[in-house]
Amino acid sequence: MRTHAQVVVIGGGAVGAAILYHLAKAGITETVLIEKNELTAGSTWHAAGNIPTYANSWLGMWAGNYAWSLYKELAKDPEAPITYRHTSAIWPAHTPERMQLFQHLCGVSRSAGFDLSMLTPHEIEQMHPYWQADDTVLGGILDPYEGDIDPSQLTQALAKHARAMGPEVRRFTRVTGLTQRPGGEWEVHTPDGVLVAGTVINAAGSSGAMIAAMAGLHLPVVTLEHQYMVTTALPELEEDSTLFPLIRDPDIRFYLRRERNAFLLGSYAHEGRPVWQDGVPADFDHQLFADDIDGMMAVFEAAASHVPLLAEAGAQRFVNGPIPYAPDALPLVGPAGGVRNFYHATGVQIGITHSAAIGKAMAEWLTEGETEWDLSAWDPRRFGDWATQDYAAARASEHYDLQYAIPYPHRIMSSGRPVNQTPLYDHLQGQGAVMGQIGGWERAFWFKRDGITDTETLSFGHEPWQDAVRLECETVRDAVGIMDHGGFTKYVLEGPEAAEVLNRLVCGTLPPVGRVRLSYMLTPKGHIWSEATIARLAEDRFLLCGPTLAVDRDFGWISQNLGSANATLTKGYAHDGALMVMGPKSRDLLQSLTSADLHAPWMSVSETTIAGIPVTALRVSYVGELGWELHVASSDLEALYTAIWQAGADHGICNFGSYALNAMRIEKGYHGWGADFGTEYTLLDAGLSKFANLSKGPFMGRDAVEQQQKSDPDWQFVGLEITDPGPEPLPSDPILKGGEVIGYLTSVSMGYRTGKLLALGYVEHGALAMGDTCHIQAFGKMRAATRHSHHVYDPDNSRLKA
């Protein structure tokens, strides 16, 4: 029995076993998996075991495809048998909006390299011997990759294969504490003694929050009930041994598949039901919750209307078990914030499907320092301490209720709010702000106006907010607008060696004192980690501003790269609030409130006073207009806003929100983190190579960038104008030329200042010349588009530099 391990994995479900297996395959074999009971005792043993590749994102599709591909190969080993059935899956649609979604996802799958396809009601009946359409069924979508697997057999097989390569599995061993040594190693306390680990991976499922707390960490994992039933055996299925597709009916909210000679019927047709607010009971292993027979019967009857054979079956057993959820129903996977050598791999709602991809990612992190796929959407640091257990339970429950709902791009989730808000929250609501939440912060998405008040309409077509946003953008273009940017990510880096360490961390040249530069942080392999707007306040003091959702992620990245430098990084800034004042009349407005000279050049910074209030004023603009970011203490935010608003009355001032900000940045051709760039791209792919200065000396990723410049990049960042009418396409919709997919969209918006429907995206390098025509596959239709400079609005920056 080992007393020291390179890695300790806590949790023996499918996720933990997949991590152990992938680590061993990658050569990390001094590893121990610890499970408090028998393997699979948590959520794995009772999981339905379906493996969908149908998903709303590339990451979800990649994860599902990787899972079934791996499991299919593992199932061929007779020494570790796994029951795996490749059946495919059919999703019927009962509404035109659902058909639109399916058409969109067929396009997304095409851009991701997969092949979901549309079906007619008749084709569904031909593919499934027991399913029948009625007048409500308009069609459906086929996932040809889906299958189902025995979760317990899968977990045991992964553990068996891992053990054969050297790792150790300890069952019936409870972790009682975690202590980090000064050198970064972890002491994992168990009743059998202390196991010293170089790295700990928390794969404890519903107990993930408890394990995190032992390490002094907060992790918003909640557990919800999920129920399915297995029917009695049916003579027809005893005689018919053929495999037929799983049926998922999202409008009726059930899934149905064969389970030997019976049916397995699962339901999402009830509200989310959180359990265990105080943590998983110590004796809850291989157990279930009470059956909800009445709730299941309602779904049973609706499903039987399309599968009449189901009505002939009785109930053999009900399975109502725990499933861990994060507040946004996505996994919590990646480095933990605030500590070294600790990773999370928990809150995995679709554990059997996602476990393989999580194992792959963990092996990549520990052997290469970065992952093949951009996993920022799963990064556990996206939730700070603001995501309390009450918030997590409320938001996860809302997501459960929306599990099969149409994921309209502008749905605003309401549960658990507000959490963080600026002092202007009530005031802005009084002015018609429709608030949304970004990184826990309340932010105005748009403002209701006379005759434009409907906030409930959801559609893939025109929605009322677009009329209001048009007016916001036009006012910013013609006069001046103001935005309260709550939750702006800010760090202060200062000290004698601050410039030296920052120069090594970013790829660009640092600004001189009083100036501002946009720069990018790269991974060692030369992929884009994040961006930072750097304002140099003094020779040895820098203000760094970055993406709101990356506040803890980027803080951890910068912190771990400080090393022993004589520099201090602080999260936050004394001027913690921020107002954006943008538009051609912004200088005249602000000049009336200050004696300072506001004719400093674009990309400059000054510490001054506006209306007698101390501010850090950045002469920058994300919307492409003359303007300032005014960073101000929250205690002064309301007074500054009021003074600007009153002075702005003579200049035609308006409020604008996040939707207008995004539309204007797309119109300007500015990249958005998480949308237009991330760790899957190089600077050359993203058209950002001008931000790298190879002559300045060493910086992270420099050698990789130098090597990348010796050949053409894989991708080319492009701007498109979509000229055919129709609803706005969505990110990941494919770009085609000559009938072949050459790329995909990353951002789309109506350009309200130019009157053009605009998109940003990537095409294969050299596949689309400037001025060439291509097509966008959007909601099942081909829409003509033309490539142009992505800087459509004010391409020479004359308005910015005015």
Side-chain angles (χ1 to χ4, degrees):
M1 182 180 290
R2 289 188 173 97
T3 58
H4 289 71
Q6 186 175 352
V7 180
V8 167
V9 180
I10 302 173
V15 173
I19 293 170
L20 194 73
Y21 169 82
H22 281 84
L23 290 177
K25 291 282 285 185
I28 301 177
T29 56
E30 294 183 12
T31 306
V32 177
L33 183 149
I34 299 177
E35 165 54 43
K36 64 186 177 67
N37 196 272
E38 181 58 88
L39 296 185
T40 79
S43 297
T44 297
W45 74 273
H46 64 76
N50 305 318
I51 311 167
T53 56
Y54 172 106
N56 296 322
S57 68
W58 276 22
L59 181 55
M61 290 185 181
W62 287 338
N65 187 69
Y66 179 72
W68 79 262
S69 298
L70 173 64
Y71 300 162
K72 176 186 65 174
E73 294 305 311
L74 289 175
K76 295 177 181 177
D77 184 357
E79 298 300 316
I82 304 173
T83 300
Y84 170 75
R85 295 171 289 258
H86 184 197
T87 62
S88 75
I90 294 167
W91 299 63
H94 298 260
T95 67
E97 294 77 15
R98 184 74 63 180
M99 287 290 286
Q100 276 189 295
L101 171 64
F102 288 167
Q103 289 161 344
H104 163 63
L105 292 179
C106 284
V108 173
S109 74
R110 195 173 180 185
S111 67
F114 303 122
D115 189 26
L116 304 185
S117 56
M118 297 297 293
L119 298 172
T120 67
H122 177 70
E123 287 172 327
I124 301 175
E125 288 183 327
Q126 293 295 108
M127 295 181 68
H128 197 293
Y130 304 106
W131 186 88
Q132 296 178 5
D134 61 15
D135 292 342
T136 69
V137 178
L138 304 180
I141 193 171
L142 171 67
D143 177 353
Y145 310 104
E146 176 146 356
D148 62 85
I149 198 165
D150 184 305
S152 294
Q153 289 180 339
L154 169 65
T155 304
Q156 296 291 350
L158 289 166
K160 177 181 174 65
H161 286 297
R163 283 195 300 264
M165 290 180 274
E168 180 183 328
V169 175
R170 297 185 189 176
R171 301 172 300 147
F172 301 102
T173 303
R174 185 176 293 274
V175 175
T176 58
L178 293 166
T179 306
Q180 189 164 37
R181 294 177 170 180
E185 293 182 314
W186 287 92
E187 294 179 358
V188 182
H189 300 267
T190 75
D192 299 326
V194 174
L195 175 61
V196 179
T199 298
V200 171
I201 300 175
N202 171 18
S206 291
S207 298
M210 298 169 63
I211 295 299
M214 292 180 187
L217 302 170
H218 169 71
L219 196 67
V221 179
V222 297
T223 302
L224 303 182
E225 297 181 19
H226 174 66
Q227 182 171 246
Y228 64 83
M229 66 173 287
V230 179
T231 71
T232 54
L234 289 158
E236 289 85 346
L237 297 184
E238 292 176 351
E239 296 175 5
D240 178 7
S241 60
T242 60
L243 294 179
F244 46 81
L246 177 146
I247 292 286
R248 294 183 189 269
D249 194 316
D251 293 316
I252 302 179
R253 300 170 69 177
F254 75 86
Y255 58 86
L256 179 76
R257 67 166 173 82
R258 180 180 195 130
E259 177 68 5
R260 298 184 178 87
N261 297 328
F263 283 118
L264 184 152
L265 174 69
S267 169
Y268 282 97
H270 61 77
E271 74 287 351
R273 299 170 183 161
V275 296
W276 303 332
Q277 283 292 84
D278 296 325
V280 182
D283 60 350
F284 194 96
D285 294 295
H286 278 115
Q287 294 183 52
L288 297 171
F289 303 123
D291 299 338
D292 175 21
I293 298 174
D294 291 341
M296 182 59 74
M297 286 302 100
V299 173
F300 185 95
E301 292 171 3
S305 68
H306 291 285
V307 185
L309 180 59
L310 186 61
E312 300 178 19
Q316 179 187 150
R317 69 180 187 276
F318 293 85
V319 178
N320 188 17
I323 296 183
Y325 264 73
D328 58 3
L330 294 175
L332 296 162
V333 177
V339 296
R340 291 178 291 161
N341 306 327
F342 198 100
Y343 290 77
H344 293 303
T346 187
V348 188
Q349 175 219 348
I350 314 174
I352 306 305
T353 298
H354 286 160
S355 57
I358 293 169
K360 174 182 183 294
M362 284 296 167
E364 292 166 349
W365 263 309
L366 270 62
T367 59
E368 302 178 42
E370 54 190 283
T371 57
E372 177 187 3
W373 305 329
D374 187 341
L375 295 182
S376 57
W378 291 2
D379 195 306
R381 294 167 292 187
R382 66 190 187 271
F383 294 109
D385 291 342
W386 54 268
T388 64
Q389 286 301 104
D390 286 344
Y391 171 87
R395 183 56 61 88
S397 297
E398 185 177 9
H399 273 286
Y400 186 97
D401 191 45
L402 295 171
Q403 179 78 17
Y404 280 161
I406 296 173
Y408 291 112
H410 296 99
R411 184 190 299 277
I412 298 177
M413 306 291 281
S414 60
S415 55
R417 294 174 47 207
V419 180
N420 296 328
Q421 64 262 16
T422 77
L424 289 174
Y425 177 75
D426 291 333
H427 180 79
L428 294 179
Q429 281 199 314
Q431 295 197 65
V434 177
M435 309 297 286
Q437 190 182 60
I438 299 177
W441 282 90
E442 295 292 319
R443 195 175 291 170
F445 280 11
W446 62 281
F447 286 82
K448 293 180 283 187
R449 293 169 175 258
D450 291 342
I452 310 174
T453 59
D454 183 359
T455 62
E456 303 300 323
T457 300
L458 292 172
S459 157
F460 290 118
H462 185 81
E463 294 176 323
W465 63 265
Q466 292 167 300
D467 297 323
V469 168
R470 176 185 298 279
L471 296 174
E472 293 173 25
C473 293
E474 290 173 346
T475 303
V476 171
R477 178 194 65 193
D478 300 333
V480 61
I482 185 169
M483 178 184 181
D484 175 26
H485 200 282
F488 211 137
T489 290
K490 304 174 193 179
Y491 317 114
V492 175
L493 180 65
E494 56 190 334
E497 296 179 334
E500 180 182 339
V501 72
L502 187 57
N503 201 42
R504 293 197 307 267
L505 189 59
V506 301
C507 65
T509 304
L510 298 184
V513 175
R515 299 305 298 268
V516 179
R517 285 212 174 111
L518 177 64
S519 196
Y520 292 87
M521 294 178 280
L522 307 181
T523 71
K525 292 184 178 181
H527 289 238
I528 307 172
W529 174 260
S530 192
E531 68 179 0
T533 299
I534 303 171
R536 194 165 193 166
L537 306 178
E539 283 293 338
D540 59 356
R541 189 165 189 256
F542 299 86
L543 171 64
L544 311 180
C545 300
T548 300
L549 287 171
V551 55
D552 291 321
R553 173 184 181 270
D554 287 357
F555 184 77
W557 182 262
I558 300 170
S559 297
Q560 75 184 30
N561 286 293
L562 285 180
S564 59
N566 187 3
T568 302
L569 179 70
T570 304
K571 187 190 301 183
Y573 181 49
H575 290 168
D576 53 333
L579 293 176
M580 294 184 178
V581 182
M582 301 290 159
K585 297 183 180 180
S586 58
R587 179 182 282 123
D588 291 342
L589 188 163
L590 294 175
Q591 194 68 75
S592 70
L593 298 172
T594 183
S595 60
D597 182 5
L598 295 183
H599 288 82
W602 179 43
M603 302 298 283
S604 61
V605 58
S606 62
E607 295 185 271
T608 185
T609 59
I610 304 289
I613 296 168
V615 300
T616 303
L618 273 65
R619 171 86 153 75
V620 298
S621 173
Y622 198 43
V623 305
E625 302 285 354
L626 172 69
W628 279 260
E629 284 179 8
L630 302 179
H631 298 265
V632 58
S634 286
S635 57
D636 292 326
L637 185 66
E638 194 165 7
L640 180 61
Y641 174 91
T642 300
I644 293 172
W645 186 264
Q646 290 174 348
D650 294 335
H651 299 280
I653 195 170
C654 79
N655 290 299
F656 69 97
S658 292
Y659 286 173
L661 181 73
N662 188 57
M664 288 187 282
R665 74 96 185 164
I666 292 172
E667 200 170 30
K668 186 61 182 168
Y670 290 153
H671 296 68
W673 175 80
D676 305 305
F677 70 88
T679 59
E680 286 160 15
Y681 301 102
T682 68
L683 290 171
L684 278 76
D685 291 331
L688 295 170
S689 56
K690 66 181 181 181
F691 289 93
N693 180 2
L694 294 178
S695 64
K696 74 170 188 171
F699 60 85
M700 184 178 294
R702 183 189 183 281
D703 291 345
V705 174
E706 194 169 39
Q707 191 64 32
Q708 290 159 5
Q709 289 185 338
K710 295 178 180 178
S711 58
D712 290 333
D714 294 330
W715 297 100
Q716 201 167 6
F717 188 67
V718 298
L720 300 171
E721 179 186 352
I722 301 165
T723 52
D724 282 344
E728 290 184 7
L730 298 175
S732 299
D733 278 342
I735 304 170
L736 297 93
K737 186 177 180 183
E740 298 296 323
V741 175
I742 60 169
Y744 49 90
L745 305 183
T746 53
S747 294
V748 185
S749 177
M750 186 65 195
Y752 297 107
R753 294 174 295 185
T754 59
K756 301 175 184 291
L757 179 55
L758 301 172
L760 304 174
Y762 286 87
V763 297
E764 296 168 2
H765 183 79
L768 193 67
M770 197 68 71
D772 277 359
T773 297
C774 59
H775 286 87
I776 309 300
Q777 182 178 330
F779 303 110
K781 296 183 179 179
M782 293 297 173
R783 307 263 297 281
T786 303
R787 183 186 170 192
H788 52 59
S789 167
H790 46 278
H791 303 296
V792 175
Y793 184 73
D794 187 29
D796 60 0
N797 291 331
S798 61
R799 297 176 72 90
L800 277 174
K801 299 176 181 179

